[in-house]
Amino acid sequence: MELHKLLLFFILQFLTIHSVASQYLPTWDSLDSRPLPDWYDDAKFGIFIHWGVFSVPSFRSEWFWWDWQGAKYNDTVEFMNKNYPPGFTYADFGKQFTAEFFNAAAWAQLFQNAGAKYIVFVSKHHEGFTNWPSKYSWTWNSQDLGPNRDIVGELANATKSTGLHFGLYHSLFEWFNPLYLQDKQNSFTTQDFVDRKTLPELYELVNNYKPDVIWSDGDWEAPDKYWKSTDFIAWLYNESPVKDTVVTNDRWGQSVMCNHGGFFTCSDRYNPGHLIKHKWENAMTIDSQSWGYRRNTNIQDILTIEELLEQLISTVSCNGNMLMNVGPNHYGVITPIYQERLLQMGSWLKVNGEAIYGTRPWSYQNDTVTSGVWYTQNKKSSPAAVYAIALSWPESNTLQLAAPVPSAITQVTLVGYKGSPFQWKPRSPSGITITIPAINYNDMPCKWAWAFKLTGIKN
């Protein structure tokens, strides 16, 4: 009996030590050692949504308040002088953020139809307005003002019901918050804003809505120690209700970006065009000029589907995910040009998803003989496959590729095409030459960017 008690004691000691050892410490060395949850690397494609009080003036960008009363840009000041009475404040836009056509279920269905696997919604931008009834943003939130709704809650429920992962963007700082401005004046030696606003909001978001992505921003003016970033992330990874699934980005303080975090963003619209070993994300916009909705957007500002697919394909080839942004208007409508781009992406991914979802970077990212060809691979498929995704259809009846080394059992097919495998021959001095048969227009699997699937190659 005593032996059993002794054995139990040692087992409990082992489990205690093992449990402590598995905890992530509030240091970047420790936090960066956490493996990235597989779901994120497999997802490849997500939707960013910038929506807030800035969607009411919908002029210039989501930085409207700063452009007007911080930088005082001439065009923004003139816009306000021409269109609003003297004494009108930014807070007056709050009640005009009406969201009467916002339908969370319809949004979630649209994002699913777009082929996205996750979304990241702006819970609070630098203006400080929270899209949920935060206890720490009294009267300046979507429940007390404007929509009189818990926007984050509605979208979280709708998104999760479709099977998409739900993520939240949160700005650490606020342009004109007196607490932040006082900390800034004190050279960030005080942390009243962090203790009373930033951290309570983050804990509130995680505990109430259980997001799988925390996309931090607004970090650049102060060091991570001011923001208590590592303390929060350690809690997120160790104790939070999403500790096993959550992923974080790299915007947690000066000098942290592109150095620490679950995935790197490095800059807005980051797409290096070559392999980055650490997982990264290309957060980019359909409207090339803004993240938020603009009433004066022109069609030339909107990226074409060909441009968007080039971004997606090159990003995935180089070990990135693409987070494509839409900016709804203040009514809660995602306007038709955004809808069209989303549904175009979805139609392409419905055919070519096997060349994107769950893939990993290959030995080569793009071809050196034929430009505009990007590679991905799937080692888990049976048989293992390499995908050569051509942004343009070959002008002749052949596709020359320098990177793949064929073998006697190599097979080449066009993803989504129901015809026979394509003929090929070894290319000199290396590579493969694929012969493309005449294909009826109606039999083409898609309208843009074609994925050639190669199995049985040597490399």
Side-chain angles (χ1 to χ4, degrees):
M1 186 68 177
E2 292 299 318
L3 182 62
H4 287 251
K5 289 182 179 179
L6 189 62
L7 183 60
L8 181 60
F9 171 80
F10 282 118
I11 290 174
L12 290 173
Q13 286 291 99
F14 171 81
L15 291 175
T16 300
I17 293 171
H18 181 73
S19 176
V20 171
S22 67
Q23 295 291 298
Y24 295 99
L25 301 175
T27 66
W28 286 120
D29 284 345
S30 179
L31 298 173
D32 289 345
S33 71
R34 176 181 182 259
L36 190 74
D38 286 341
W39 78 260
Y40 179 81
D41 203 1
D42 289 340
K44 305 302 182 190
F45 179 51
I47 303 297
F48 216 170
I49 308 107
H50 274 68
W51 198 37
V53 173
F54 52 80
S55 305
V56 179
S58 52
F59 177 79
R60 194 176 176 97
S61 79
E62 70 288 347
W63 278 55
F64 179 84
W65 192 6
W66 177 259
D67 293 346
W68 172 31
Q69 293 186 332
K72 299 184 185 300
Y73 290 129
N74 289 339
D75 60 344
T76 312
V77 173
E78 183 180 357
F79 171 82
M80 289 303 300
N81 290 340
K82 281 186 175 181
N83 296 285
Y84 295 90
F88 190 94
T89 69
Y90 188 80
D92 293 327
F93 283 123
K95 60 180 175 292
Q96 298 178 21
F97 181 43
T98 48
E100 61 264 41
F101 294 124
F102 169 59
N103 184 321
W107 278 24
Q109 188 61 58
L110 176 62
F111 301 146
Q112 186 178 47
N113 292 342
K117 298 300 182 182
Y118 65 104
I119 74 165
V120 176
F121 179 67
V122 171
S123 67
K124 184 193 79 172
H125 202 256
H126 313 321
E127 64 187 13
F129 184 89
T130 65
N131 277 315
W132 80 98
S134 176
K135 293 183 293 185
Y136 309 99
S137 189
W138 182 66
T139 74
W140 191 232
N141 67 72
S142 64
Q143 188 72 63
D144 294 339
L145 186 66
N148 302 126
R149 298 163 68 175
D150 180 0
I151 300 295
V152 170
E154 291 182 37
L155 192 57
N157 292 334
T159 301
K160 293 176 182 180
S161 71
T162 65
L164 274 66
H165 290 269
F166 180 71
L168 289 173
Y169 165 110
H170 176 268
S171 175
L172 296 174
F173 91 137
E174 298 171 16
W175 287 310
F176 303 110
N177 189 297
L179 289 174
Y180 178 72
L181 294 178
Q182 185 61 55
D183 283 350
K184 185 176 180 179
Q185 186 176 341
N186 295 338
S187 301
F188 301 113
T189 57
T190 55
Q191 295 171 294
D192 290 341
F193 178 73
V194 174
D195 292 336
R196 295 168 60 182
K197 195 72 164 63
T198 301
L199 285 179
E201 285 178 349
L202 282 168
Y203 287 118
E204 188 178 52
L205 284 171
V206 173
N207 285 319
N208 290 353
Y209 305 108
K210 301 174 178 58
D212 284 337
V213 182
I214 293 293
W215 213 102
S216 182
D217 196 19
D219 61 315
W220 54 84
E221 292 188 346
D224 58 298
K225 288 185 178 179
Y226 166 75
W227 297 116
K228 300 185 178 181
S229 297
T230 55
D231 292 333
F232 170 73
I233 298 174
W235 171 83
L236 193 65
Y237 289 174
N238 291 327
E239 303 175 46
S240 80
V242 289
K243 61 186 177 64
D244 296 324
T245 56
V246 72
V247 296
T248 60
N249 68 340
D250 58 349
R251 302 188 181 192
W252 296 98
Q254 290 174 341
S255 303
V256 172
M257 184 187 287
C258 220
N259 290 305
H260 302 292
F263 61 87
F264 292 167
T265 63
C266 298
S267 67
D268 291 350
R269 303 177 179 87
Y270 179 67
N271 188 358
H274 58 82
L275 180 65
I276 301 294
K277 290 186 178 181
H278 191 286
K279 187 66 187 181
W280 58 279
E281 185 176 79
N282 177 6
M284 48 78 67
T285 58
I286 295 176
D287 177 356
S288 63
Q289 305 301 308
S290 176
W291 299 83
Y293 174 74
R294 296 185 303 137
R295 284 181 282 173
N296 59 336
T297 302
N298 293 310
I299 190 62
Q300 61 264 29
D301 298 329
I302 302 296
L303 270 63
T304 65
I305 184 58
E306 290 87 354
E307 291 171 322
L308 292 171
L309 284 172
E310 181 176 6
Q311 286 291 316
L312 173 67
I313 294 162
S314 61
T315 293
V316 171
S317 177
C318 297
N319 199 34
N321 280 16
M322 188 171 90
L323 189 64
M324 187 174 77
N325 181 75
V326 297
N329 61 32
H330 77 272
Y331 302 129
V333 172
I334 298 173
T335 52
I337 190 65
Y338 287 114
Q339 293 184 37
E340 181 180 58
R341 293 295 182 268
L342 290 169
L343 294 176
Q344 287 172 328
M345 289 291 288
S347 69
W348 188 86
L349 284 164
K350 188 174 183 180
V351 173
N352 298 285
E354 68 174 86
I356 298 295
Y357 303 127
T359 63
R360 297 295 184 268
W362 189 43
S363 309
Y364 302 87
Q365 276 59 65
N366 53 345
D367 200 73
T368 56
V369 169
T370 301
S371 62
V373 173
W374 294 87
Y375 292 104
T376 63
Q377 70 169 334
N378 189 342
K379 290 183 177 180
K380 295 181 181 180
S381 63
S382 184
V386 168
Y387 299 90
I389 309 175
L391 300 179
S392 301
W393 187 256
E395 293 183 0
S396 64
N397 66 337
T398 61
L399 177 60
Q400 305 280 344
L401 299 176
V405 178
S407 71
I409 61 169
T410 293
Q411 190 173 72
V412 180
T413 55
L414 179 63
V415 175
Y417 175 59
K418 297 179 180 180
S420 302
F422 293 172
Q423 299 295 312
W424 60 269
K425 61 182 180 181
R427 182 182 175 276
S428 181
S430 66
I432 187 172
T433 298
I434 301 169
T435 301
I436 303 172
I439 301 175
N440 186 286
Y441 177 83
N442 293 324
D443 294 329
M444 290 291 285
C446 55
K447 298 178 181 179
W448 327 273
W450 297 267
F452 293 85
K453 182 178 182 178
L454 291 78
T455 60
I457 60 173
K458 294 179 180 179
N459 56 340

